Amino acid sequence: MDKASEGGRRERKKAATRQAIGGAALELFLERGYDQVSIKEIADAADVATTTLFKHFPCKEALVFDEDHNREARLVAAVRDRPAGQGIVEALHEHVLESWLPIAADPRHAEFARLLDSTQALRDYAERMWTRHTAALSAAIADDIGVDHDNITCRALARFILEIPTLTRGQDDPRAAVEEMFHILTRGWQPPGADDQ
């Protein structure tokens, strides 16, 4: 077997282990609650050593947000790798629809939201995670339009985009809710019902 094949196999095995650990953790957290589950129980359920678990996840909270790094990379790529001629807001609109709607449609999403809302440690971790994502997305937007990374309009746009899943959570029609959020971005806020007058 050549080095490339061996490297690919190793990466696939690593990804499968990470997925098994994250899946086992989520199942236990949803079943018993975050604070009632130990790291050892998660490692046992995933059939790995606790040292292996910590190679994949730096802390217990990270087990709940196992897609954290990939999510940030995809957000940045939505801006940097968008097709020529496509605007930033349009690219982020497509990204939110493609990434958020499948999550909103997951039957366990409501359970996950309750777990998050009822656990202070997870809410704190999520806020730190969103702050990092906001900074990364804001920097990508600023780079694209040639302004400083501390540009407030870039930060405001990034934060608004990242709040859309929270703002639209629990809506009967998540797609319509997302469209409404982007309507505000592209056309400005109007009082509800103003379009009908």
Side-chain angles (χ1 to χ4, degrees):
M1 182 179 293
D2 62 27
K3 286 184 181 179
S5 298
E6 179 63 27
R9 190 175 71 80
R10 191 178 306 114
E11 286 304 310
R12 286 193 301 276
K13 186 175 178 184
K14 200 158 116 179
T17 300
R18 181 182 173 84
Q19 188 174 15
I21 295 168
L26 187 57
E27 287 294 330
L28 289 169
F29 292 153
L30 291 177
E31 182 184 319
R32 293 170 33 206
Y34 177 80
D35 293 321
Q36 284 66 50
V37 179
S38 72
I39 289 291
K40 184 176 183 332
E41 289 173 307
I42 296 165
D44 289 346
D47 197 25
V48 299
T50 55
T51 53
T52 301
L53 183 149
F54 282 120
K55 284 179 185 173
H56 292 275
F57 298 94
C59 60
K60 187 178 177 183
E61 294 89 346
L63 289 157
V64 178
F65 302 98
D66 63 331
E67 290 292 315
D68 178 19
H69 178 72
N70 290 338
R71 184 173 291 119
E72 184 174 304
R74 288 192 297 265
L75 265 170
V76 169
V79 172
R80 291 189 177 153
D81 302 338
R82 70 188 191 280
Q86 185 180 50
I88 291 172
V89 172
E90 184 185 352
L92 289 169
H93 186 176
E94 284 183 9
H95 173 77
V96 170
L97 288 173
E98 289 169 7
S99 61
W100 166 238
L101 292 185
I103 294 171
D106 188 313
R108 293 189 311 173
H109 181 67
E111 281 183 274
F112 179 82
R114 281 193 295 274
L115 173 71
L116 185 59
D117 290 342
S118 65
T119 311
Q120 186 64 48
L122 294 179
R123 291 198 307 273
D124 292 345
Y125 185 90
E127 182 59 32
R128 292 191 303 272
M129 182 179 72
W130 288 133
T131 299
R132 286 195 321 272
H133 291 348
T134 298
L137 179 57
S138 175
I141 295 167
D143 287 343
D144 189 86
I145 62 174
V147 298
D148 291 337
H149 283 191
D150 64 354
N151 182 279
I152 195 167
T153 62
C154 295
R155 291 203 320 264
L157 174 59
R159 187 65 186 203
F160 187 85
I161 296 295
L162 283 161
E163 287 297 326
I164 288 175
T166 301
L167 292 168
T168 59
R169 191 169 74 193
Q171 296 291 310
D172 292 335
D173 186 345
R175 176 178 283 276
V178 168
E179 297 293 356
E180 198 168 341
M181 296 292 98
F182 277 94
H183 184 85
I184 292 170
L185 275 175
T186 56
R187 299 188 185 174
W189 183 82
Q190 294 290 325
D195 289 342
D196 302 330
Q197 295 174 1

